[in-house]
Amino acid sequence: MEKQLPFDMVVEAKYAPTTPRRRLNPAGELPVLEEDGGLRICGNYPITEYLEEAYPQRTLLPRSMPERVEVRRLIDWFDKLFNREVTQKLVQEKIYLRQNPDLSPSTHALREGKRNIGRHLEMIASLTQDQPWLTGESMTLADITAAAHISSLDYLGDVPWKDYPQSKDWYALMKSRPAFQWILRERLPGIHPPPYYENPDF
Amino acid sequence: MEKQLPFDMVVEAKYAPTTPRRRLNPAGELPVLEEDGGLRICGNYPITEYLEEAYPQRTLLPRSMPERVEVRRLIDWFDKLFNREVTQKLVQEKIYLRQNPDLSPSTHALREGKRNIGRHLEMIASLTQDQPWLTGESMTLADITAAAHISSLDYLGDVPWKDYPQSKDWYALMKSRPAFQWILRERLPGIHPPPYYENPDF
């Protein structure tokens, strides 16, 4: 979307019977990108690196080595550390377990997720103190990865924005991107986001 | 090592006081690669992509797009799925918890890890049925990533090799690489690997 490439979106339920999805990706994990020629790319990391290499016109990974290292450090930070400490604890518990009525959310995990989010919002604040985006003057895959995690928590009303005004400014900038508006219009059946969720001036 | 680059190794205890490590990597995670010029690269994914870009002479990531996609799919498979289903359950429980006397291993996690390893060894067998390495005729980052996880389980005697002779052949090939011998000579204090651990003909 930010790279201005056309695509079709197919939504998959995380706990739906996995057979059709395993045909797409033997790991049974999402996301999967399928090219018109049939090439299938599985997983966040392979997809983002592939898109950068296959479509270098509008790059989301800077050219200089120290910047590439920093962007990938932050992708790794959000997809591993933030995912483990926050997203899994809150989103996993609140949304995915809803799709599986046999399981019930763990209040311990929810409490931990809410406690952990603070230091990550502080890091975003400190990185964006003197620059608009996490790694500099341009939006990169680091911002997209961070915003992907944060938007799912914001949908649940779990981001304490008032305590982190600097991080809120960064996220407002992200929300104003045309590509991001499309994400903000998506809804999960049966769960309503807070009223400010879609608004770039929140 | 496989890229024939000189380096120094510094061992870090996973549960040692984290302050010096946080100075290296704010995420407090390993591994961290530090270049002579001071550039610091944090995490498996950023390090492997960096080494390929900075030192393209001996490449461990093939040039063609479908092959790059396949190598990265398998890196992601082992670092996420295999890590979650097997490595974390066995290595985490058996080794890291030893370093922290307040915690005791969970027999449930150990049992699950041992049960899960089978399908991954089957996948390695099916990928290497008609080719020596996971993605073709040359060893790549996919083989290195898979072998890194498997060697730590093999150190604990947790790989049921006799049930997976094809996967064993692949791992024997890996063990015979000069770079890998160096890894096989490493020892953890207080834990002894099985007698066949270091032997390429096991």
Side-chain angles (χ1 to χ4, degrees), chain B residues 36-51:
Chain B
D36 285 341
L39 183 63
R40 199 173 288 151
I41 306 107
C42 307
N44 273 340
Y45 149 56
I47 289 173
T48 52
E49 294 288 337
Y50 167 79
L51 288 174

Side-chain angles (χ1 to χ4, degrees), chain B:
Chain B
M1 198 84 177
E2 281 285 349
K3 292 178 78 78
Q4 305 196 330
L5 302 169
F7 65 98
D8 290 320
M9 187 82 172
V10 181
V11 176
E12 281 269 359
K14 196 169 162 95
Y15 285 97
T18 55
T19 322
R21 199 163 70 221
R22 282 204 196 278
R23 223 174 291 139
L24 265 181
N25 176 7
E29 306 259 319
L30 297 172
V32 174
L33 170 67
E34 197 163 19
E35 286 278 36
D36 285 341
L39 183 63
R40 199 173 288 151
I41 306 107
C42 307
N44 273 340
Y45 149 56
I47 289 173
T48 52
E49 294 288 337
Y50 167 79
L51 288 174
E52 282 304 297
E53 292 179 350
Y55 306 97
Q57 299 80 6
R58 296 176 69 89
T59 182
L60 295 169
L61 194 56
R63 303 244 178 258
S64 88
M65 202 60 92
E67 287 177 289
R68 294 173 85 80
V69 164
E70 178 64 357
V71 168
R72 288 186 178 125
R73 177 182 79 83
L74 290 171
I75 294 174
D76 206 44
W77 177 294
F78 283 97
D79 275 349
K80 286 209 190 113
L81 197 64
F82 188 92
N83 185 53
R84 192 173 66 220
E85 293 188 351
V86 186
T87 312
Q88 277 193 2
K89 290 185 196 289
L90 295 174
V91 178
Q92 199 97 338
E93 292 291 332
K94 285 192 177 177
I95 299 179
Y96 298 140
L97 296 188
R98 260 178 108 103
Q99 296 179 16
N100 189 332
D102 297 339
L103 304 168
S104 66
S106 138
T107 51
H108 178 68
L110 296 177
R111 210 166 40 230
E112 275 201 321
K114 283 190 183 185
R115 198 184 54 215
N116 292 340
I117 197 173
R119 78 174 181 109
H120 298 278
L121 292 170
E122 258 165 44
M123 182 189 73
I124 290 172
S126 98
L127 288 172
T128 55
Q129 203 158 22
D130 302 313
Q131 57 191 24
W133 301 102
L134 293 178
T135 61
E137 295 303 316
S138 307
M139 194 200 65
T140 70
L141 289 168
D143 299 283
I144 295 177
T145 308
H149 284 272
I150 286 173
S151 73
S152 64
L153 301 166
D154 199 35
Y155 189 102
L156 299 169
D158 279 337
V159 185
W161 290 119
K162 67 172 176 26
D163 301 331
Y164 301 92
Q166 176 70 50
S167 313
K168 188 180 161 177
D169 286 352
W170 162 81
Y171 189 59
L173 206 58
M174 196 77 213
K175 273 169 113 170
S176 67
R177 306 285 291 198
F180 210 70
Q181 316 252 314
W182 182 83
I183 292 168
L184 296 173
R185 279 196 298 271
E186 292 284 302
R187 288 294 175 273
L188 285 165
I191 309 180
H192 299 288
Y196 62 81
Y197 173 72
E198 231 179 295
N199 186 0
D201 303 310
F202 57 115

Side-chain angles (χ1 to χ4, degrees), chain A residues 89-90 106-117:
Chain A
K89 291 185 196 288
L90 295 174
S106 137
T107 51
H108 177 68
L110 296 177
R111 208 166 42 231
E112 275 202 320
K114 283 188 185 187
R115 196 185 55 215
N116 292 340
I117 196 172

Side-chain angles (χ1 to χ4, degrees), chain A residues 4 10 21 23 39 65 90 128 155-156 164 189:
Chain A
Q4 304 197 329
V10 180
R21 197 163 72 217
R23 223 173 291 140
L39 183 63
M65 202 61 90
L90 295 174
T128 55
Y155 189 101
L156 300 169
Y164 301 92

